[in-house]
Each structure stands twice: as structure tokens, then as C-alpha cells.
Amino acid sequence: SLKGDIYFNSHKSLIDTLFLTSFSFSHKHKKKDIEKINVKIFEKSSLFYLSLNKFSILACSTNFKNRYPSHCDGLHLDIWYNKKPVFTDSGSFEYYSKHGDEDFKSFLSTSYHNTIRLNKKDQIKKGPRFLWLTEMRSNNQIINSDKLYLQNFSYESQLKGSPIMTRLVDIIENKLIVKDVIQIKASHNTEIEQFWNYHKKSKLKISSNSIYFEEENLILSFSASCSFEIYIQEGFQSLYYGKKEPRTRIVCLMKNNVSTEINTTFEFLK
């Protein structure tokens, strides 16, 4: 745990959990709420822990080469509420398997994290075993008393034009608002997928722009600068090495050839 703020139980290693490319944390609260903000920064591992009200958010910056085993998890957020996991990454499962490396590569992939994938390509190109053939980049890390901002992550590894993705996170009372901006310059449509991996397998109530999680009393709603659709996939997670279990993955899908904005709101009903 981090001084009793949050408990991981059997969840995977903190360092192996998260990687965030562009993250900004801003406040629109009364003074008494701001005083409750808890920020922990682990510079060597580029790990950030933010806590406000009942929310706890884990994020990691771009110290990719010093964070093995690394995953294709740029922009990833782990979201906990009331000290319980809600949307998490999927774990590592195995580093070697007699049955081949299909599961190994799947758990490293972009879709197994709460992030964005373009044109169905992972954010970085995988080589054999622990080798990666490309890298992720970010510049201008600025830390102020009320803001953490990691800027200019380039999704340059497998797509021409080096799209830049930025993620803004804002907590207002019982709402977590995530704003993603994908700067695209392309002559043809780019397929954009935003993934949210729910911590368990569950039946959900889905509409055209929102999903209701009855067990969490949570409404997950979407809006975007272009048309989109949301649907459910089967995902997997590994809480223990060598073991995996099914869970529910939410996908927000759209196509666009210009800069695109996605707004996702997590509202925990009182």
C-alpha cells in the first residue's frame, strides 16, 4: 500500500501497472476539497499517484526503458473509487509459455490497457521476447501546486505523421472527467479506439452514448468531436502469474482524419 491510501492486494506490481503519456490534473473545487488532494511522485519510476475525495488514480510517465517488463500502455489510467479497483490494466500473465507467446503478447498490447489505439496497431512495435523495436517519447514535464502535466507524447512508432495524444483528467465531486485529444494529420480516416477494461466480467446496460454499471452504481458516458459507437468485448486479466480470468472491456470506436477530442465521464451516483 501507499501509506494506507490504497491497497493492491493481489493486483500486479505497482511499477508494472501503469504508463501515462500526456496527463494533466486540474481542480475545480472548494478550498476545503483542494486540501484533501494527495499527490505522490516517484521520479525514478515516473510513477504518479493522485487521490482526491473517493478517487485514486495511478499513472506513469515515459520512463519506459527503466520500467521493464514494459507494455504498450501509453495514456493508461488505473481508476479506483472508494479504495476499490474499477478500471485497471490486465497484468502480465506470463513471460514465457510452453504454449507459445500469443497470451504473452496479448497482455502487453494496447487493448489490454485503458488507453487509445490507432488503426488497430499497438503503440510500439514488439520484437522477440522482451525486445521492443520502437520507443515512446514525451517532453516538458511540469509540476505545479495544482497541476501535473506531461506533454508531447508521440505515437510515432508505427504510424506516419506522428500523432500526438494528450490526456486531461479532472475530478469534480463524484465525477471523473477524462478528455483525450488526438492530433491527427492524415489524408484518409484514422480508426480510433478508446479502451476501458472493467475489473471483472459483468452484464452492463448500454445505450448509444453511455453504459450503466449497476454493481458500482456508475454511469460511464461518452461524447466526441465526431460520430462514434460504443460496444462490449470480452477481455482478460491476470491477478496471479500464469493465471487469467475473463473480464469486460468497453470500446469507444470512431474514424476521423483531423484532430479528434473524446470526453469520457465516470459518474458515481450517490
Side-chain angles (χ1 to χ4, degrees), residues 51-96:
S51 177
L52 176 62
N53 299 335
K54 294 183 179 181
F55 284 99
S56 296
I57 298 173
L58 291 170
C60 189
S61 180
T62 55
N63 198 350
F64 187 79
K65 293 181 179 180
N66 296 331
R67 195 169 53 83
Y68 286 106
S70 300
H71 292 194
C72 295
D73 54 359
L75 277 177
H76 174 79
L77 293 177
D78 251 36
I79 299 172
W80 296 55
Y81 188 75
N82 203 20
K83 297 186 179 181
K84 295 181 181 179
V86 184
F87 295 94
T88 60
D89 84 340
S90 298
S92 295
F93 184 55
E94 292 180 333
Y95 304 134
Y96 174 79

Short mmCIF file of all heavy atoms in Angstrom, two decimals, residues 51-96:
data_model
loop_
_atom_site.label_atom_id
_atom_site.label_comp_id
_atom_site.label_asym_id
_atom_site.label_seq_id
_atom_site.Cartn_x
_atom_site.Cartn_y
_atom_site.Cartn_z
N SER A 51 -4.85 11.34 -5.41
CA SER A 51 -6.03 10.97 -4.63
C SER A 51 -6.82 12.23 -4.28
O SER A 51 -6.26 13.20 -3.79
CB SER A 51 -5.61 10.23 -3.35
OG SER A 51 -6.73 9.93 -2.56
N LEU A 52 -8.11 12.19 -4.56
CA LEU A 52 -9.00 13.30 -4.23
C LEU A 52 -10.38 12.74 -3.95
O LEU A 52 -10.91 11.96 -4.74
CB LEU A 52 -9.06 14.31 -5.37
CG LEU A 52 -10.03 15.48 -5.17
CD1 LEU A 52 -9.62 16.31 -3.96
CD2 LEU A 52 -10.06 16.36 -6.41
N ASN A 53 -10.97 13.18 -2.84
CA ASN A 53 -12.27 12.66 -2.42
C ASN A 53 -12.19 11.13 -2.36
O ASN A 53 -11.31 10.59 -1.73
CB ASN A 53 -13.38 13.16 -3.35
CG ASN A 53 -13.50 14.68 -3.34
OD1 ASN A 53 -13.13 15.33 -2.37
ND2 ASN A 53 -14.01 15.23 -4.41
N LYS A 54 -13.03 10.43 -3.08
CA LYS A 54 -13.01 8.96 -3.06
C LYS A 54 -12.24 8.37 -4.24
O LYS A 54 -12.16 7.15 -4.37
CB LYS A 54 -14.44 8.43 -3.04
CG LYS A 54 -15.21 8.76 -1.77
CD LYS A 54 -16.60 8.13 -1.80
CE LYS A 54 -17.35 8.44 -0.51
NZ LYS A 54 -18.71 7.82 -0.50
N PHE A 55 -11.68 9.23 -5.10
CA PHE A 55 -10.96 8.76 -6.28
C PHE A 55 -9.48 8.55 -5.97
O PHE A 55 -8.87 9.33 -5.25
CB PHE A 55 -11.08 9.77 -7.42
CG PHE A 55 -12.41 9.77 -8.11
CD1 PHE A 55 -13.36 10.73 -7.77
CD2 PHE A 55 -12.71 8.83 -9.08
CE1 PHE A 55 -14.59 10.75 -8.41
CE2 PHE A 55 -13.94 8.84 -9.71
CZ PHE A 55 -14.88 9.80 -9.37
N SER A 56 -8.93 7.52 -6.55
CA SER A 56 -7.48 7.30 -6.57
C SER A 56 -7.09 6.95 -7.99
O SER A 56 -7.69 6.08 -8.62
CB SER A 56 -7.09 6.16 -5.62
OG SER A 56 -7.39 6.49 -4.28
N ILE A 57 -6.09 7.66 -8.50
CA ILE A 57 -5.65 7.46 -9.88
C ILE A 57 -4.16 7.15 -9.87
O ILE A 57 -3.38 7.82 -9.21
CB ILE A 57 -5.91 8.71 -10.73
CG1 ILE A 57 -7.40 9.01 -10.79
CG2 ILE A 57 -5.36 8.51 -12.15
CD1 ILE A 57 -7.73 10.31 -11.47
N LEU A 58 -3.79 6.13 -10.61
CA LEU A 58 -2.39 5.78 -10.78
C LEU A 58 -1.99 6.02 -12.22
O LEU A 58 -2.71 5.65 -13.15
CB LEU A 58 -2.16 4.32 -10.42
CG LEU A 58 -2.32 3.98 -8.93
CD1 LEU A 58 -2.31 2.48 -8.74
CD2 LEU A 58 -1.23 4.63 -8.11
N ALA A 59 -0.85 6.65 -12.41
CA ALA A 59 -0.39 6.95 -13.76
C ALA A 59 1.12 6.92 -13.79
O ALA A 59 1.77 7.15 -12.78
CB ALA A 59 -0.89 8.34 -14.18
N CYS A 60 1.66 6.62 -14.96
CA CYS A 60 3.11 6.61 -15.08
C CYS A 60 3.53 7.38 -16.32
O CYS A 60 2.87 7.31 -17.35
CB CYS A 60 3.64 5.19 -15.14
SG CYS A 60 5.43 5.11 -15.04
N SER A 61 4.64 8.10 -16.21
CA SER A 61 5.14 8.91 -17.31
C SER A 61 5.95 8.05 -18.28
O SER A 61 5.68 6.88 -18.45
CB SER A 61 5.96 10.06 -16.74
OG SER A 61 6.45 10.87 -17.76
N THR A 62 6.95 8.63 -18.88
CA THR A 62 7.59 7.99 -20.04
C THR A 62 8.96 7.38 -19.75
O THR A 62 9.77 7.24 -20.66
CB THR A 62 7.75 9.02 -21.16
OG1 THR A 62 8.47 10.12 -20.63
CG2 THR A 62 6.40 9.47 -21.66
N ASN A 63 9.22 7.05 -18.52
CA ASN A 63 10.49 6.40 -18.20
C ASN A 63 10.43 4.94 -18.63
O ASN A 63 10.56 4.02 -17.86
CB ASN A 63 10.77 6.49 -16.70
CG ASN A 63 12.23 6.25 -16.39
OD1 ASN A 63 13.00 5.85 -17.25
ND2 ASN A 63 12.59 6.50 -15.15
N PHE A 64 10.18 4.75 -19.92
CA PHE A 64 9.84 3.44 -20.46
C PHE A 64 11.00 2.45 -20.35
O PHE A 64 10.81 1.29 -20.00
CB PHE A 64 9.40 3.60 -21.92
CG PHE A 64 8.86 2.36 -22.54
CD1 PHE A 64 7.57 1.95 -22.29
CD2 PHE A 64 9.63 1.61 -23.41
CE1 PHE A 64 7.06 0.81 -22.87
CE2 PHE A 64 9.13 0.48 -24.01
CZ PHE A 64 7.84 0.08 -23.73
N LYS A 65 12.21 2.90 -20.67
CA LYS A 65 13.34 1.98 -20.72
C LYS A 65 13.72 1.47 -19.33
O LYS A 65 14.38 0.44 -19.19
CB LYS A 65 14.55 2.67 -21.36
CG LYS A 65 14.33 2.98 -22.83
CD LYS A 65 15.56 3.64 -23.44
CE LYS A 65 15.34 3.93 -24.92
NZ LYS A 65 16.53 4.59 -25.53
N ASN A 66 13.32 2.20 -18.28
CA ASN A 66 13.65 1.78 -16.92
C ASN A 66 12.48 1.09 -16.23
O ASN A 66 12.48 0.93 -15.03
CB ASN A 66 14.07 3.00 -16.09
CG ASN A 66 15.34 3.63 -16.60
OD1 ASN A 66 16.17 2.94 -17.17
ND2 ASN A 66 15.46 4.92 -16.44
N ARG A 67 11.50 0.68 -17.01
CA ARG A 67 10.29 0.11 -16.41
C ARG A 67 9.96 -1.23 -17.07
O ARG A 67 8.91 -1.43 -17.65
CB ARG A 67 9.13 1.10 -16.57
CG ARG A 67 7.94 0.79 -15.69
CD ARG A 67 6.96 1.94 -15.69
NE ARG A 67 6.56 2.34 -17.04
CZ ARG A 67 5.59 1.72 -17.72
NH1 ARG A 67 4.95 0.72 -17.22
NH2 ARG A 67 5.28 2.15 -18.94
N TYR A 68 10.87 -2.17 -16.98
CA TYR A 68 10.62 -3.49 -17.56
C TYR A 68 9.94 -4.37 -16.52
O TYR A 68 10.21 -4.27 -15.33
CB TYR A 68 11.94 -4.11 -18.00
CG TYR A 68 12.48 -3.49 -19.26
CD1 TYR A 68 13.56 -2.62 -19.23
CD2 TYR A 68 11.88 -3.76 -20.49
CE1 TYR A 68 14.05 -2.05 -20.38
CE2 TYR A 68 12.36 -3.18 -21.65
CZ TYR A 68 13.44 -2.33 -21.60
OH TYR A 68 13.91 -1.76 -22.74
N PRO A 69 9.08 -5.32 -16.97
CA PRO A 69 8.68 -5.54 -18.36
C PRO A 69 7.69 -4.48 -18.82
O PRO A 69 6.67 -4.27 -18.19
CB PRO A 69 8.02 -6.92 -18.32
CG PRO A 69 7.51 -7.04 -16.93
CD PRO A 69 8.45 -6.27 -16.04
N SER A 70 8.00 -3.81 -19.90
CA SER A 70 7.18 -2.70 -20.38
C SER A 70 6.01 -3.19 -21.23
O SER A 70 6.08 -4.26 -21.84
CB SER A 70 8.05 -1.74 -21.19
OG SER A 70 9.09 -1.23 -20.39
N HIS A 71 4.96 -2.39 -21.25
CA HIS A 71 3.76 -2.71 -22.01
C HIS A 71 3.43 -1.58 -22.98
O HIS A 71 3.95 -0.47 -22.86
CB HIS A 71 2.57 -2.91 -21.06
CG HIS A 71 2.67 -4.13 -20.21
ND1 HIS A 71 1.60 -4.64 -19.51
CD2 HIS A 71 3.71 -4.95 -19.92
CE1 HIS A 71 1.97 -5.71 -18.84
NE2 HIS A 71 3.26 -5.91 -19.07
N CYS A 72 2.53 -1.84 -23.93
CA CYS A 72 2.04 -0.82 -24.86
C CYS A 72 0.91 -0.04 -24.18
O CYS A 72 -0.25 -0.14 -24.58
CB CYS A 72 1.53 -1.47 -26.15
SG CYS A 72 2.78 -2.29 -27.11
N ASP A 73 1.24 0.73 -23.16
CA ASP A 73 0.21 1.28 -22.28
C ASP A 73 0.27 2.80 -22.16
O ASP A 73 -0.08 3.36 -21.13
CB ASP A 73 0.30 0.63 -20.91
CG ASP A 73 1.69 0.74 -20.29
OD1 ASP A 73 2.58 1.31 -20.96
OD2 ASP A 73 1.89 0.26 -19.18
N GLY A 74 0.73 3.48 -23.22
CA GLY A 74 0.73 4.93 -23.18
C GLY A 74 -0.67 5.49 -22.99
O GLY A 74 -1.62 5.01 -23.60
N LEU A 75 -0.82 6.48 -22.13
CA LEU A 75 -2.09 7.12 -21.77
C LEU A 75 -2.92 6.31 -20.79
O LEU A 75 -4.03 6.69 -20.44
CB LEU A 75 -2.97 7.40 -23.01
CG LEU A 75 -2.70 8.66 -23.80
CD1 LEU A 75 -3.62 8.71 -25.01
CD2 LEU A 75 -2.93 9.90 -22.95
N HIS A 76 -2.39 5.19 -20.32
CA HIS A 76 -3.17 4.32 -19.43
C HIS A 76 -3.45 4.98 -18.08
O HIS A 76 -2.60 5.66 -17.52
CB HIS A 76 -2.44 3.01 -19.20
CG HIS A 76 -3.10 2.13 -18.20
ND1 HIS A 76 -4.19 1.36 -18.50
CD2 HIS A 76 -2.86 1.95 -16.87
CE1 HIS A 76 -4.59 0.71 -17.42
NE2 HIS A 76 -3.80 1.05 -16.41
N LEU A 77 -4.65 4.75 -17.58
CA LEU A 77 -5.05 5.16 -16.24
C LEU A 77 -5.58 3.94 -15.48
O LEU A 77 -6.36 3.17 -16.03
CB LEU A 77 -6.17 6.20 -16.28
CG LEU A 77 -5.88 7.59 -16.83
CD1 LEU A 77 -7.18 8.40 -16.83
CD2 LEU A 77 -4.83 8.28 -15.99
N ASP A 78 -5.16 3.79 -14.26
CA ASP A 78 -5.86 2.90 -13.33
C ASP A 78 -6.79 3.77 -12.50
O ASP A 78 -6.35 4.77 -11.92
CB ASP A 78 -4.87 2.19 -12.40
CG ASP A 78 -4.76 0.71 -12.72
OD1 ASP A 78 -4.83 0.37 -13.91
OD2 ASP A 78 -4.59 -0.08 -11.78
N ILE A 79 -8.05 3.40 -12.42
CA ILE A 79 -9.05 4.20 -11.72
C ILE A 79 -9.62 3.37 -10.57
O ILE A 79 -10.16 2.28 -10.78
CB ILE A 79 -10.17 4.63 -12.67
CG1 ILE A 79 -9.59 5.50 -13.80
CG2 ILE A 79 -11.25 5.40 -11.92
CD1 ILE A 79 -10.59 5.81 -14.90
N TRP A 80 -9.47 3.89 -9.36
CA TRP A 80 -10.02 3.26 -8.16
C TRP A 80 -11.01 4.24 -7.53
O TRP A 80 -10.83 5.46 -7.61
CB TRP A 80 -8.91 2.94 -7.17
CG TRP A 80 -7.91 1.93 -7.65
CD1 TRP A 80 -7.15 1.97 -8.79
CD2 TRP A 80 -7.55 0.72 -6.98
NE1 TRP A 80 -6.35 0.87 -8.87
CE2 TRP A 80 -6.56 0.08 -7.78
CE3 TRP A 80 -7.95 0.11 -5.78
CZ2 TRP A 80 -5.99 -1.13 -7.42
CZ3 TRP A 80 -7.38 -1.09 -5.42
CH2 TRP A 80 -6.41 -1.70 -6.23
N TYR A 81 -12.03 3.68 -6.92
CA TYR A 81 -13.02 4.53 -6.25
C TYR A 81 -13.35 3.91 -4.90
O TYR A 81 -13.64 2.72 -4.80
CB TYR A 81 -14.29 4.65 -7.09
CG TYR A 81 -15.29 5.67 -6.56
CD1 TYR A 81 -15.06 7.04 -6.71
CD2 TYR A 81 -16.45 5.26 -5.90
CE1 TYR A 81 -15.96 7.97 -6.24
CE2 TYR A 81 -17.35 6.19 -5.41
CZ TYR A 81 -17.11 7.55 -5.58
OH TYR A 81 -18.00 8.48 -5.10
N ASN A 82 -13.28 4.74 -3.87
CA ASN A 82 -13.53 4.27 -2.51
C ASN A 82 -12.62 3.10 -2.16
O ASN A 82 -13.05 2.12 -1.55
CB ASN A 82 -15.00 3.88 -2.33
CG ASN A 82 -15.44 3.92 -0.88
OD1 ASN A 82 -14.80 4.56 -0.05
ND2 ASN A 82 -16.50 3.21 -0.57
N LYS A 83 -11.35 3.19 -2.60
CA LYS A 83 -10.30 2.20 -2.34
C LYS A 83 -10.57 0.85 -2.97
O LYS A 83 -10.02 -0.17 -2.54
CB LYS A 83 -10.07 2.05 -0.82
CG LYS A 83 -9.57 3.31 -0.15
CD LYS A 83 -9.22 3.07 1.31
CE LYS A 83 -8.69 4.35 1.94
NZ LYS A 83 -8.31 4.17 3.36
N LYS A 84 -11.38 0.83 -4.03
CA LYS A 84 -11.66 -0.42 -4.74
C LYS A 84 -11.35 -0.21 -6.22
O LYS A 84 -11.64 0.83 -6.79
CB LYS A 84 -13.12 -0.82 -4.56
CG LYS A 84 -13.48 -1.18 -3.12
CD LYS A 84 -14.94 -1.58 -3.01
CE LYS A 84 -15.31 -1.92 -1.57
NZ LYS A 84 -16.75 -2.31 -1.44
N PRO A 85 -10.80 -1.24 -6.89
CA PRO A 85 -10.47 -1.11 -8.31
C PRO A 85 -11.73 -1.09 -9.16
O PRO A 85 -12.69 -1.81 -8.91
CB PRO A 85 -9.64 -2.37 -8.60
CG PRO A 85 -10.12 -3.36 -7.59
CD PRO A 85 -10.44 -2.57 -6.35
N VAL A 86 -11.73 -0.23 -10.18
CA VAL A 86 -12.86 -0.15 -11.11
C VAL A 86 -12.38 -0.45 -12.53
O VAL A 86 -12.86 -1.36 -13.18
CB VAL A 86 -13.55 1.22 -11.04
CG1 VAL A 86 -14.78 1.23 -11.96
CG2 VAL A 86 -13.96 1.56 -9.61
N PHE A 87 -11.42 0.34 -13.02
CA PHE A 87 -10.82 0.10 -14.33
C PHE A 87 -9.31 -0.02 -14.15
O PHE A 87 -8.66 0.92 -13.69
CB PHE A 87 -11.16 1.24 -15.30
CG PHE A 87 -12.63 1.34 -15.61
CD1 PHE A 87 -13.44 2.20 -14.90
CD2 PHE A 87 -13.20 0.56 -16.61
CE1 PHE A 87 -14.80 2.29 -15.17
CE2 PHE A 87 -14.55 0.64 -16.88
CZ PHE A 87 -15.36 1.51 -16.17
N THR A 88 -8.78 -1.17 -14.51
CA THR A 88 -7.37 -1.46 -14.26
C THR A 88 -6.72 -2.04 -15.51
O THR A 88 -7.40 -2.39 -16.48
CB THR A 88 -7.22 -2.47 -13.11
OG1 THR A 88 -7.88 -3.68 -13.47
CG2 THR A 88 -7.83 -1.93 -11.83
N ASP A 89 -5.39 -2.14 -15.48
CA ASP A 89 -4.74 -2.83 -16.58
C ASP A 89 -4.87 -4.34 -16.35
O ASP A 89 -5.44 -4.78 -15.37
CB ASP A 89 -3.29 -2.36 -16.75
CG ASP A 89 -2.32 -3.08 -15.84
OD1 ASP A 89 -2.76 -3.65 -14.83
OD2 ASP A 89 -1.12 -3.04 -16.12
N SER A 90 -4.34 -5.11 -17.26
CA SER A 90 -4.67 -6.54 -17.29
C SER A 90 -3.63 -7.44 -16.65
O SER A 90 -3.81 -8.65 -16.57
CB SER A 90 -4.91 -6.99 -18.73
OG SER A 90 -6.00 -6.29 -19.28
N GLY A 91 -2.51 -6.88 -16.19
CA GLY A 91 -1.47 -7.73 -15.62
C GLY A 91 -0.52 -8.22 -16.70
O GLY A 91 -0.57 -7.81 -17.86
N SER A 92 0.36 -9.15 -16.32
CA SER A 92 1.37 -9.65 -17.26
C SER A 92 1.12 -11.08 -17.70
O SER A 92 1.62 -11.51 -18.73
CB SER A 92 2.77 -9.56 -16.63
OG SER A 92 3.12 -8.22 -16.40
N PHE A 93 0.39 -11.85 -16.93
CA PHE A 93 0.09 -13.27 -17.17
C PHE A 93 1.35 -14.12 -17.12
O PHE A 93 1.65 -14.73 -16.13
CB PHE A 93 -0.66 -13.45 -18.50
CG PHE A 93 -1.09 -14.87 -18.74
CD1 PHE A 93 -1.86 -15.54 -17.80
CD2 PHE A 93 -0.72 -15.53 -19.89
CE1 PHE A 93 -2.25 -16.85 -18.01
CE2 PHE A 93 -1.10 -16.84 -20.11
CZ PHE A 93 -1.87 -17.50 -19.17
N GLU A 94 2.11 -14.17 -18.22
CA GLU A 94 3.33 -14.97 -18.24
C GLU A 94 4.40 -14.26 -19.05
O GLU A 94 4.10 -13.49 -19.96
CB GLU A 94 3.07 -16.35 -18.86
CG GLU A 94 2.20 -17.27 -18.03
CD GLU A 94 1.98 -18.61 -18.71
OE1 GLU A 94 2.04 -18.67 -19.95
OE2 GLU A 94 1.75 -19.59 -18.00
N TYR A 95 5.66 -14.53 -18.73
CA TYR A 95 6.76 -14.03 -19.53
C TYR A 95 7.29 -15.10 -20.48
O TYR A 95 8.04 -14.83 -21.40
CB TYR A 95 7.90 -13.54 -18.63
CG TYR A 95 7.46 -12.49 -17.65
CD1 TYR A 95 7.81 -12.55 -16.31
CD2 TYR A 95 6.65 -11.43 -18.07
CE1 TYR A 95 7.38 -11.58 -15.41
CE2 TYR A 95 6.22 -10.46 -17.18
CZ TYR A 95 6.59 -10.55 -15.86
OH TYR A 95 6.16 -9.60 -14.98
N TYR A 96 6.91 -16.33 -20.24
CA TYR A 96 7.28 -17.44 -21.11
C TYR A 96 6.22 -18.51 -20.96
O TYR A 96 5.73 -18.77 -19.86
CB TYR A 96 8.65 -18.02 -20.76
CG TYR A 96 8.98 -19.26 -21.57
CD1 TYR A 96 9.43 -19.15 -22.88
CD2 TYR A 96 8.83 -20.53 -21.02
CE1 TYR A 96 9.71 -20.28 -23.63
CE2 TYR A 96 9.12 -21.67 -21.76
CZ TYR A 96 9.55 -21.54 -23.07
OH TYR A 96 9.82 -22.64 -23.81
#
